[in-house]
Amino acid sequence: MGLLAQEQAKVTDWPGYLGWTIGLVIVIALVYWLMRQGWNWRRTLQSDLPPLPALPDDPGTPLLETAGRYHGTTTAGNWLDRVVAHGLGTRSLADLTLTEAGLLVRRPGDVDLWIPAESLTAARLDSGIAGKVVPSGLLVVTWDHQGTALDSGFRADHAAEHAAWVAALEALVTRTKTKKTEEAAP
């Protein structure tokens, strides 16, 4: 009988359990706080990024539309260097609309993003951006924001749409460059 009482005493060692639980909660809180500090530090480093372009009153007639997810923005060519300034680092649901004037990204619950056609430079299919790898692929749009080249990643609800988006974006970039060249010619 004495052996059973000793085993029960080990099972009901509440001070030990509470100590471990409190210690674990403190470690989790510390990790969360450090992640938050890193995010704020990155935002401070990127504070020189100019404000995003204003949304137009009428973006124009849609060429393509889709719903999906916005996965974030990075500096062009560096898929791990997330840009967090101006809300660009927050993943969210998104509705994409491509018009002759540019790309409109409606993000419910977050800042909408407008990329004018003259700022678009390229589009491609890729498997990752901002530390997020998506095996079925992402639509990555490269654009120039007042001298800073950026990549923004999107995942349409239907990944089969990505190829059409790349073709339409590349065609818009070509038309915009041709138009700029013609306007610059005497």
Side-chain angles (χ1 to χ4, degrees):
M1 187 82 151
L3 183 59
L4 182 59
Q6 286 177 347
E7 288 180 18
Q8 286 180 344
K10 289 180 185 175
V11 172
T12 57
D13 182 20
W14 292 111
Y17 291 139
L18 289 175
W20 279 103
T21 302
I22 291 170
L24 184 61
V25 167
I26 289 172
V27 167
I28 290 171
L30 177 65
V31 168
Y32 176 76
W33 180 79
L34 288 171
M35 288 182 351
R36 191 81 179 142
Q37 290 300 103
W39 192 267
N40 289 335
W41 175 72
R42 183 173 289 275
R43 185 178 298 126
T44 302
L45 286 178
Q46 297 169 349
S47 63
D48 61 337
L49 191 69
L52 297 174
L55 296 175
D57 293 330
D58 179 24
T61 305
L63 301 173
L64 277 177
E65 292 181 300
T66 192
R69 292 194 66 82
Y70 168 78
H71 281 278
T73 296
T74 63
T75 54
N78 188 351
W79 76 286
L80 291 175
D81 186 22
R82 180 188 297 269
V83 175
V84 300
H86 308 298
L88 291 175
T90 308
R91 290 187 179 123
S92 61
L93 294 175
D95 292 318
L96 277 67
T97 304
L98 181 66
T99 69
E100 284 295 326
L103 178 64
L104 176 61
V105 182
R106 296 252 182 227
R107 301 190 311 158
D110 212 334
V111 178
D112 291 340
L113 174 61
W114 169 251
I115 305 173
E118 55 273 2
S119 296
L120 293 167
T121 57
R124 70 180 187 279
L125 298 177
D126 211 329
S127 61
I129 193 164
K132 177 75 173 174
V133 176
V134 181
S136 55
L138 290 170
L139 167 65
V140 178
V141 177
T142 303
W143 54 291
D144 180 70
H145 180 53
Q146 297 184 21
T148 304
L150 301 172
D151 283 339
S152 294
F154 307 95
R155 170 83 169 95
D157 288 342
H158 305 286
E161 298 176 14
H162 290 169
W165 274 86
V166 169
L169 283 160
E170 287 293 336
L172 179 60
V173 167
T174 302
R175 284 193 305 273
T176 304
K177 285 181 183 177
T178 303
K179 185 178 174 182
K180 278 184 186 178
T181 305
E182 289 172 356
E183 288 174 355

